[in-house]
Amino acid sequence: MQNESGSTASVPLSEIQTPALLLDLAKLDANSARLKKHLDQVAPDILHRPHLKTAKSLEIAEHVLRGREQAITVSTLREAEIFARAGFRDILYAVGIVPSKLARVAAVREQGADLKIITDNADVARRISEFAARTHMTIPVLIEIDCDGHRSGLRPAQSDAIVAVAKALTDGAELAGVMTHAGGSYDAGNSQEVAAAASGEVAAIVQSAQILRDAGYSVPIVSIGSTPTALSVADLSGVTEIRAGVYMFFDLVMAGLGICRVRDIALSVLTTVIGHQPDKGWIIVDAGWMAMSRDRGTASQDVDQGYGLVCDPDGQPIPDLIMESANQEHGIIAMMPGSAGSLPDFPVGSQLRILPNHACSTAAQHGHYDVLDSENRVIANWQRFGGW
Amino acid sequence: MQNESGSTASVPLSEIQTPALLLDLAKLDANSARLKKHLDQVAPDILHRPHLKTAKSLEIAEHVLRGREQAITVSTLREAEIFARAGFRDILYAVGIVPSKLARVAAVREQGADLKIITDNADVARRISEFAARTHMTIPVLIEIDCDGHRSGLRPAQSDAIVAVAKALTDGAELAGVMTHAGGSYDAGNSQEVAAAASGEVAAIVQSAQILRDAGYSVPIVSIGSTPTALSVADLSGVTEIRAGVYMFFDLVMAGLGICRVRDIALSVLTTVIGHQPDKGWIIVDAGWMAMSRDRGTASQDVDQGYGLVCDPDGQPIPDLIMESANQEHGIIAMMPGSAGSLPDFPVGSQLRILPNHACSTAAQHGHYDVLDSENRVIANWQRFGGW
């Protein structure tokens, strides 16, 4: 989309080769504004440290965060390296560190970024301390807390183990705080359960910070995460920062949780009809699981959207029409089971848009975003990266 | 792994950053030799046109095919463009064409590659003919046949529709043959069902070729696909070429079908233990669904391998140990439900290898292959590409 002078021409969707990952800029902006407004209301002084594991794009980061000053969260050291090189200065790598990755952490810190790491393990804390002592580096470490049993972290009830990790941080390895992630909120049945997950997340992290303070430690950062809880939480007392990522895009899983409306979803996959099997009620398109991912996150929700909800080229959902199944480069579109509607007629060559179950996994299948203006014209290509 | 002179140094796995996609070269070679031997026995004169949708790598293509002379199959025009630019000359794009992609087809053909396309639709055939007339190009077209109801294509019983497509190919749009893909064989319950799928695939394509010949058309190419059927088929009479792709890698779905042994699987994901939840029987590793993909292809088989079967760093499977669930960058490893075994002790920092459910989807999550020699040392980085 970019011409030689660096400015962009606007291109209609009909000229875009499919499948392609579309990003609706107005929705991205509205979603970003919504979280900001919510946090301004419930906790005006809290630090928002957006998680960039979904975006993985410098252009999106700079657009949404209005520059490179804001603190960020990442899910891989590659993200840390790329965002640090681009000038981001306060980065939390929110996956448990292992000793074999410390040299890369040190290299990012030496470039001038304040990269923080996490662990839930006293042995690892000792290894970080040995590394810090040997390299004469300062390495800030957050202790990972498990607030809902879904993944890593120490439970607040394991107070001795939490203190043991803090105690094992010596020399340049400094206790920077505690963090948790209410990933269990993705499995909530409704917004009440999400709100309960949010309260539980706050309670667990505040309790963990208190355990460490009672043991004599300073705990400057008290950090929670997850988009559902970030948008639901009413009382953030004792929390210093919040990490959300999917909030800027949203997806069908979030809509199924009641966290957003379907029309808020900023990402979709543009596809072209390549064939039909009329006797089966199938429309076949050129977006298969390679374009959508294998994510079936709505399968366990009240409404199973298959591999995604089908929209017209303007992004308007077509009632009850879903991608029922997917091969590598073929998507099979059909009416939702039990629908009273009839299959619309889309001749070969028609374009459709598919809303994703899970923004993180669908975006990861693509090398760039085709960025849309409010008239559904592509005004920019924003690159995204993968890898570790 | 490559030094400045272009030669490669050998690196132990312990020095590889995780997660990483490993390719066991000896297994790749043995798997490739197995299909060659099988085809030499059952149909020495048949053309093998390997499907490169799993590999998506020039180095693998050149290694397995011993150069750039062999005919190949691709699943995207991007594959066609990259392989054509590298010198491959006979390429079949095996996904139904749409008119908006014909300009790219023409560009590849103008570069000197004999790119063939497919359709199952008379309207599209007319559009191809119009394009060929307008551009004065020759475009070989295969008619897609549906042998098992799993996706696109015309059924042999739709003889009038098959002939109508052939009839709509005029000017430079030339009927090059018929092709089908027994994708339903992936859902077979056992090797007997796979063999039945193979017979059905051959019968459907031979019948379709005969329909066209009876209508007065020449049908030079009679093409079937799918790794399970390629390795099972006993009688290829009437078939001129076979397209298989996963055969060079294999995966747990293929092992579950009885098409290969677990020890034949050439791809695995190297991962590092980042934590434990002892009361839950969990080992947590740094390969989540971003490294494995969301593919749960074994879920519908007799043995559900979760997100993959866990091996030691040398690639030896650890009985009953699987990746039970996955977050974006976290894999949760546990004993298979019902196992009598007990969770092995792997401290934080230990490396493990995970065999994938589905080679195509797991490989697609990675930017390169770390290529292993027989001593499990990395001897090369082979790049892979994605996109459309």
Side-chain angles (χ1 to χ4, degrees), chain B residues 21-179:
Chain B
L21 181 66
L22 305 180
L23 172 61
D24 184 313
L25 203 54
K27 292 180 180 177
L28 181 79
D29 289 342
N31 295 337
S32 302
R34 179 182 155 202
L35 180 60
K36 184 177 186 312
K37 187 176 167 194
H38 175 73
L39 294 179
D40 283 350
Q41 282 171 352
V42 300
D45 297 328
I46 209 161
L47 176 69
H48 182 209
R49 182 190 287 282
H51 207 313
L52 297 178
K53 76 187 179 82
T54 313
K56 297 205 188 210
S57 158
L58 281 174
E59 289 97 332
I60 289 181
E62 294 195 348
H63 178 86
V64 170
L65 312 185
R66 299 168 194 272
R68 303 169 186 201
E69 301 302 313
Q70 194 166 339
I72 61 173
T73 312
V74 298
S75 68
T76 65
L77 282 179
R78 185 160 160 73
E79 289 165 61
E81 289 160 352
I82 290 175
F83 287 114
R85 205 178 306 134
F88 287 87
R89 284 290 161 265
D90 185 352
I91 305 175
L92 174 65
Y93 170 43
V95 175
I97 197 72
V98 284
S100 59
K101 294 180 181 173
L102 287 171
R104 290 171 69 189
V105 171
V108 171
R109 291 190 58 82
E110 277 169 357
Q111 284 166 23
D114 180 18
L115 177 60
K116 302 171 177 76
I117 58 178
I118 71 170
T119 188
D120 62 1
N121 187 294
D123 286 335
V124 173
R126 270 185 286 276
R127 298 283 294 274
I128 301 167
S129 302
E130 288 162 15
F131 180 89
R134 193 167 64 245
T135 58
H136 308 288
M137 295 207 58
T138 301
I139 303 182
V141 181
L142 281 73
I143 300 176
E144 185 174 12
I145 302 299
D146 173 14
C147 63
D148 60 6
H150 85 287
R151 193 163 80 188
S152 307
L154 294 166
R155 290 184 300 284
Q158 298 173 284
S159 54
D160 289 350
I162 293 172
V163 173
V165 178
K167 201 171 170 185
L169 294 172
T170 60
D171 299 282
E174 292 180 350
L175 178 65
V178 288
M179 61 84 71

Side-chain angles (χ1 to χ4, degrees), chain A residues 53-130:
Chain A
K53 77 188 179 82
T54 313
K56 298 207 189 209
S57 157
L58 281 174
E59 288 96 332
I60 290 181
E62 294 195 349
H63 178 85
V64 171
L65 312 185
R66 299 168 192 273
R68 304 170 186 201
E69 300 301 313
Q70 193 166 339
I72 61 172
T73 311
V74 299
S75 69
T76 64
L77 282 179
R78 183 160 161 73
E79 289 166 61
E81 289 160 351
I82 289 174
F83 286 115
R85 205 178 306 133
F88 287 86
R89 282 292 161 264
D90 184 352
I91 305 174
L92 173 65
Y93 170 44
V95 176
I97 197 72
V98 284
S100 58
K101 294 179 180 172
L102 287 170
R104 289 173 70 190
V105 172
V108 172
R109 291 190 59 81
E110 278 169 357
Q111 285 166 22
D114 180 19
L115 177 60
K116 303 170 176 77
I117 58 177
I118 71 169
T119 187
D120 62 3
N121 187 293
D123 286 335
V124 173
R126 271 185 286 277
R127 298 281 294 275
I128 301 168
S129 302
E130 289 163 15

Side-chain angles (χ1 to χ4, degrees), chain A residues 97 118-128 141-144 153-154 161 164-166 168-169, chain B residues 273-276 347-349:
Chain A
I97 197 72
I118 71 169
T119 187
D120 62 3
N121 187 293
D123 286 335
V124 173
R126 271 185 286 277
R127 298 281 294 275
I128 301 168
V141 181
L142 281 74
I143 300 176
E144 185 175 13
L154 294 166
V165 178
L169 294 172
Chain B
V273 175
I274 62 172
H276 303 85
V348 170

